[in-house]
Amino acid sequence: MDTLIVVLGPTGVGKSNISIQLAKHFHSEIISADSRQFFRELSIGTAVPSQEDLKLIPHHFIQTKSIHNYYNVSEFEIEALTTISRLFLKCNPLFLAGGSMLYIDTICKGIDDIPTVDLDVREEVTRWYENNGLEALRQRLLEVDAEYYRIVDLNNPKRLLHAVEIHQMTGKPFTSFRKNTIKERPFRILKVGINQDRKVLYDRINIRVEQMMAAGLLEEARAVYPHRNLNSLNTVGYKELFSYFDGDCTLVEAVDLIQRNTRKYARKQLTWFRRDQQIQWFEPEQVKEIINYIDQKMTENE
RNA sequence: GGUGCCAUAGCUCAGUUGGUAGAGCAAUGGACUGAAAAUCCAUGUGUCCCUGGUUCGAUUCCAGGUGGCACCA
């Protein structure tokens, strides 16, 4: 049976390296589930695999988009599933590796069919919110979608905005699109989590940020600085350096903040993954154990 | 060596007219359906430097000590 091995874990734990070893062992390829490694303008700050690694093992969805093109998880679902079914013709197991929680879940469980918001609608509703405030936004949502109003986090403007945008665009309440059904996939999914001692992870993250700076992250960030308002650049490692370019902080402070925000991101990833009971957890050194685990599962269910 | 100022949470500090304390940041936990490396929510943390004195009661007042900073020698 076709099996997709999902290699997940917090940022900086060594997922890329491990999934390359696994793909090599199983003569397979890797689909990336990393919402920032899609962008070809961002390579140092998103820690994409090296050119040698990319040559060694074919990767998909790495640096295939531009920061200028709006991209979202739904488009990823469609594209990635197409790629996955094509690759299963020659590889099994196949690997999905990355740390973007929502993107992983979307491949595993699917996401409801909700229209993509036009950028002009987004701009219009956002401007309305900026002029009228959060309370007005809540009231507007209550009028158009009382059901969602009851369950949504009323402090989170992005959630409210999206529901209002969908109504503005379609004339239907956001809730009418939210089916919350789990899509069945025509392949088996095995989740392999990589984690390690929190302190060791944090040290690795701090060092990795220093290495990124040494590798030229500052220049990479400066090159995209003119486009800082793009959503794709609302990204750890770039937004902090933009503040430095603005003169709002020193370079040392900016780098410090990158480290801190990366640590926070790792913590947030772990919070998300913690509730997923399907994940089998390993330490970064346990590549052999992971291979044994996959072998065992592959024969179990043939 | 002398004088002055300071010593409170992991850090930077506030405060207690004497009744054993609180902000920011950090840290930790949580939410999450097309912006997700986004966005939002919640939670502690303590020999109040040490030793004595005054007091029913001292982190707070007093004395001495220790450490730090500044100035003068």
Side-chain angles (χ1 to χ4, degrees):
Chain A
M1 188 181 184
D2 288 340
T3 302
L4 182 72
I5 313 284
V6 182
V7 181
L8 54 85
T11 187
V13 81
K15 293 184 296 292
S16 300
N17 180 40
I18 290 169
S19 42
I20 286 165
Q21 291 182 57
L22 295 174
K24 197 174 167 192
H25 182 270
F26 289 100
H27 306 289
S28 189
E29 304 191 3
I30 296 173
I31 314 262
S32 170
D34 188 307
S35 71
R36 289 302 187 267
Q37 289 184 357
F38 297 142
F39 301 113
R40 67 176 74 94
E41 294 89 347
L42 316 180
S43 62
I44 298 170
T46 60
V48 294
S50 68
Q51 287 303 315
E52 297 83 69
D53 284 339
L54 293 176
K55 254 179 224 159
L56 189 67
I57 300 291
H59 283 66
H60 305 268
F61 299 97
I62 286 201
Q63 307 213 282
T64 52
K65 312 286 176 194
S66 166
I67 55 169
H68 299 286
N69 300 125
Y70 177 80
Y71 194 62
N72 64 44
V73 68
S74 178
E75 290 177 48
F76 178 67
E77 179 187 26
I78 295 163
E79 285 188 65
L81 283 175
T82 305
T83 304
I84 288 170
S85 58
R86 181 166 54 80
L87 289 175
F88 269 136
L89 297 176
K90 55 173 181 170
C91 311
N92 186 33
L94 181 62
F95 293 88
L96 179 78
S100 299
M101 302 85 83
L102 181 64
Y103 284 66
I104 292 170
D105 277 5
T106 294
I107 297 303
C108 296
K109 300 191 288 196
I111 193 161
D112 287 327
D113 193 20
I114 297 167
T116 293
V117 175
D118 297 335
L119 287 181
D120 49 336
V121 170
R122 168 148 299 167
E123 209 171 299
E124 189 190 330
V125 175
T126 302
R127 198 171 312 121
W128 187 90
Y129 162 61
E130 281 163 3
N131 291 332
N132 294 277
L134 186 59
E135 188 49 42
L137 185 64
R138 288 175 183 153
Q139 287 311 311
R140 190 167 162 188
L141 176 65
L142 181 60
E143 283 162 29
V144 301
D145 193 346
E147 192 182 344
Y148 192 57
Y149 180 90
R150 271 201 306 278
I151 56 166
V152 73
D153 176 359
L154 291 170
N155 286 315
N156 192 332
K158 291 219 170 159
R159 299 273 151 70
L160 307 180
L161 280 168
H162 187 231
V164 168
E165 285 162 358
I166 293 293
H167 178 265
Q168 166 111 349
M169 224 177 71
T170 66
K172 294 182 198 163
F174 179 58
T175 329
S176 66
F177 297 99
R178 259 173 61 103
K179 305 279 186 258
N180 238 321
T181 50
I182 293 175
K183 292 178 190 164
E184 288 295 322
R185 299 306 189 196
F187 47 84
R188 185 160 49 121
I189 293 168
L190 220 55
K191 290 179 185 169
V192 169
I194 315 294
N195 196 13
Q196 65 190 148
D197 178 77
R198 186 75 62 100
K199 249 184 153 162
V200 178
L201 178 66
Y202 281 7
D203 283 347
R204 279 186 54 123
I205 286 172
N206 293 340
I207 290 167
R208 196 174 70 161
V209 171
E210 301 286 351
Q211 287 169 342
M212 285 176 179
M213 289 304 293
L217 179 58
L218 191 67
E219 287 69 34
E220 187 171 278
R222 206 189 298 277
V224 294
Y225 179 49
H227 316 294
R228 59 178 303 177
N229 290 326
L230 294 170
N231 173 60
S232 46
L233 293 177
N234 189 187
T235 298
V236 174
Y238 298 87
K239 55 184 176 182
E240 297 85 354
L241 291 174
F242 296 160
S243 295
Y244 164 65
F245 297 147
D246 289 339
D248 291 339
C249 65
T250 67
L251 185 58
V252 171
E253 285 167 343
V255 172
D256 203 64
L257 202 56
I258 293 173
Q259 293 173 323
R260 202 188 303 158
N261 286 338
T262 307
R263 282 182 255 131
K264 277 187 180 174
Y265 174 50
R267 193 145 51 78
K268 207 174 65 175
Q269 288 172 303
L270 288 167
T271 297
W272 181 294
F273 294 139
R274 206 171 283 139
R275 69 178 173 186
D276 189 340
Q277 295 304 309
Q278 296 172 339
I279 301 172
Q280 181 73 35
W281 289 97
F282 295 90
E283 304 262 321
E285 302 78 25
Q286 294 181 295
V287 176
K288 276 202 181 107
E289 284 82 350
I290 297 172
I291 290 171
N292 288 340
Y293 173 72
I294 294 171
D295 278 336
Q296 182 201 327
K297 291 288 179 182
M298 293 295 289
T299 50
E300 239 175 47
N301 234 323
E302 248 161 16

